[in-house]
Amino acid sequence: MRPKPVPATGPGARPADLLAWLDSHVNLEATAGDTDGLSLAPMQGLLAALGDPQGDYPAIHISGTNGKGSVAAMVGALAQAWGMTVGVYASPHVERINERMTVGGDPVSDAELAELLGHLRLVEGHLADGHDGARPSWFELVTAAALRWFADVAVDLAVVEVGKLGRYDATNVVNSRVAVITNIGRDHTDGRSGWEAAVMGEKAGILHSDVTAVLGPMDAELVAIAAEESPGELLVAGQHFDLEENQPAVGGRLITVRTPRACYDDVYVSQFGAHQGDNAALAIAAFEALVEQELDEPVLDALGDVAVPARFEVVARQPLVVIDGAHNPDGLAAAAATLADQFTVLGTVTWVLGMMSDKDPDAMLAAIGASGARCDLVVCCAPDWPRALAAADLADAARNRGIDAEIATDVTEAMERALALSGDEDAVVVTGSLYTAGAARLHLVPRDQ
């Protein structure tokens, strides 16, 4: 009898096998698992076995309920324009896991990712032999892969987005010099009294004693929690730096930001929505704090070339088609307000919505109405994800609010139905989750974009 071949476990394993191995680990993004009892010890042990690559470069660490991905992309653009080799780690991905880690704006290649995962598979086996056999999570492995890759390519700076909350997030091992908290929202909370302070207490866990903390606009009570967590320098929007002008412009925003070192006038930001002006101000303040110098015009010009997939991304016109990964009421309100403020839609507005089951569909729909944006029809769908809300439940919530609703079997069918109903003067907005947005991009956006 011919012996069975031993599966490849190291760098030579096939990419598909390695991704299957990765997917065999618990994925808290997919399960929304309980964070009680979490510890950084497993992540620290995993990185120690990899040579502690996170110590090889400084980092800017970014947390917050909304805006993390946009701020990370903007900081990365500023750093690259400064002349740095910069790695950006973001989550979740929109279409492919490779998007989570980029250097110089380019995602990790399939070959590089396979090599990283192959090494991690071997390391996991050695760690299991010497410990209690507990396996790292999916997110811990992907984070370790990114931090190892950044060291391998010798980045000058890592810009790292928190996955969930902060204190016990797998990313909270980086050598951060600046830490950003964009805002505090109700996502992933029960809404009970004191939830803002509880969320801030977790997010402030990334404010180590030797970092400069940069905070978006927030109440004094929350600022006090940050100050108690970190005795380092504290920069708060509206106090130590300010967004003085934030106006719509063709293809984005025109902003003026005053910081402790300068006043930056008429900076063009290639992102739609007033909230992106706030994000740009945070990015400028954070990067200026890192380099401890005033930023010159060519560096700021980099904000005019930032493209973040699925962040009010216009993928077609006539009809206008927008993809936005808003996954909570605040994010959906911002997307709806952007549509109302920066676009004139003479025809109908159809929303393609698909969201997670831990969201309140009524609150999500209410956010659209409160923004002043129109909602003539909702085509309801469920993204292909374990926690997806049933399309029928979403449709019921829409009809209860007096909104016309249709049900589609998946995101692709929902997109096709919305486009079939739309003419040149109409608009289609796809939103509710980054998983919905990702499926829509795969269907609509050419692969070379």
Side-chain angles (χ1 to χ4, degrees):
M1 180 180 294
R2 179 175 298 177
K4 294 181 180 179
V6 176
T9 57
R14 293 185 304 168
D17 293 336
L18 290 166
L19 289 175
W21 164 79
L22 178 64
D23 288 341
S24 72
H25 295 77
V26 63
N27 186 345
L28 296 179
E29 289 179 357
T31 63
D34 191 349
T35 58
D36 290 343
L38 289 181
S39 167
L40 289 177
M43 187 63 186
Q44 291 164 339
L46 182 61
L47 289 172
L50 294 173
D52 283 323
Q54 75 281 6
D56 290 351
Y57 42 80
I60 293 181
H61 203 190
I62 303 170
S63 185
T65 303
N66 291 306
K68 298 186 297 293
S70 294
V71 173
M74 292 175 184
V75 172
L78 293 171
Q80 189 168 342
W82 187 267
M84 293 179 173
T85 299
V86 56
V88 177
Y89 180 59
S91 62
H93 57 275
V94 179
E95 296 177 26
R96 302 175 68 232
I97 186 176
N98 307 58
E99 300 166 21
R100 291 181 180 240
M101 53 192 91
T102 63
V103 171
D106 297 323
V108 63
S109 69
D110 289 343
E112 289 171 310
L113 181 58
E115 184 175 3
L116 290 162
L117 293 179
H119 282 301
L120 280 165
R121 187 170 179 173
L122 288 173
V123 167
E124 182 190 43
H126 292 306
L127 289 175
D129 290 341
H131 295 82
D132 59 7
R135 306 178 81 200
S137 71
W138 190 98
F139 186 71
E140 286 171 332
L141 289 167
V142 175
T143 302
L147 299 180
R148 180 66 262 173
W149 184 50
F150 292 163
D152 290 344
V153 299
V155 300
D156 300 308
L157 175 71
V159 181
V160 178
E161 179 184 343
V162 166
K164 189 174 184 180
L165 292 179
R167 186 178 304 277
Y168 296 112
D169 188 79
T171 64
N172 200 22
V173 293
V174 296
N175 178 25
S176 54
R177 304 288 177 81
V178 177
V180 180
I181 301 177
T182 59
N183 50 42
I184 300 298
R186 279 187 57 173
D187 208 18
H188 303 303
T189 74
D190 56 16
R192 294 177 183 175
S193 178
W195 67 264
E196 297 100 328
V199 172
M200 185 61 178
E202 290 300 318
K203 294 188 185 300
I206 71 169
L207 305 181
H208 304 157
S209 60
D210 54 349
V211 308
T212 297
V214 180
L215 309 182
M218 57 186 65
D219 294 341
E221 174 194 6
L222 304 183
V223 173
I225 293 172
E228 183 178 352
E229 188 75 34
S230 171
E233 184 179 8
L234 190 65
L235 302 175
V236 183
Q239 298 180 36
H240 307 99
F241 65 98
D242 201 16
L243 179 63
E244 296 188 343
E245 296 289 339
N246 184 12
Q247 301 296 327
V250 176
R253 311 291 298 180
L254 203 62
I255 65 172
T256 294
V257 179
R258 185 176 298 279
T259 71
R261 291 179 173 81
C263 183
Y264 303 111
D265 293 310
D266 297 331
V267 178
Y268 176 67
V269 179
S270 57
Q271 299 287 297
F272 292 110
H275 60 291
Q276 294 292 9
D278 293 318
N279 290 335
L282 280 167
I284 289 170
F287 189 68
E288 185 189 78
L290 177 78
V291 298
E292 299 181 333
Q293 294 182 42
E294 179 180 340
L295 309 183
D296 58 23
E297 187 173 341
V299 172
L300 294 169
D301 286 346
L303 295 179
D305 294 318
V306 175
V308 187
R311 272 67 167 188
F312 210 90
E313 180 184 14
V314 176
V315 298
R317 296 182 184 271
Q318 295 183 323
L320 175 70
V321 180
V322 174
I323 298 176
D324 190 273
H327 60 280
N328 54 42
D330 288 343
L332 199 53
T338 299
L339 179 70
D341 293 345
Q342 292 203 237
F343 294 85
T344 300
V345 181
L346 300 178
T348 62
V349 179
T350 298
W351 293 76
V352 174
L353 286 183
M355 61 189 67
M356 298 296 104
S357 58
D358 61 340
K359 309 302 177 187
D360 179 350
D362 186 68
M364 296 283 273
L365 291 161
I368 298 175
S371 72
R374 293 200 345 258
C375 180
D376 299 304
L377 172 68
V378 175
V379 182
C380 305
C381 58
D384 184 17
W385 198 246
R387 294 188 291 114
L389 178 71
D393 293 342
L394 179 54
D396 286 343
R399 291 167 184 149
N400 288 339
R401 297 190 67 85
I403 303 171
D404 288 338
E406 295 188 9
I407 297 173
T409 58
D410 56 27
V411 177
T412 296
E413 182 180 293
M415 285 299 315
E416 288 299 319
R417 177 59 177 162
L419 292 173
L421 293 172
S422 300
D424 288 352
E425 295 185 336
D426 300 331
V428 175
V429 184
V430 189
T431 189
S433 165
L434 273 172
Y435 304 108
T436 302
R441 285 193 97 252
L442 282 169
H443 182 59
L444 292 175
V445 179
R447 293 303 92 213
D448 59 349
Q449 287 191 217

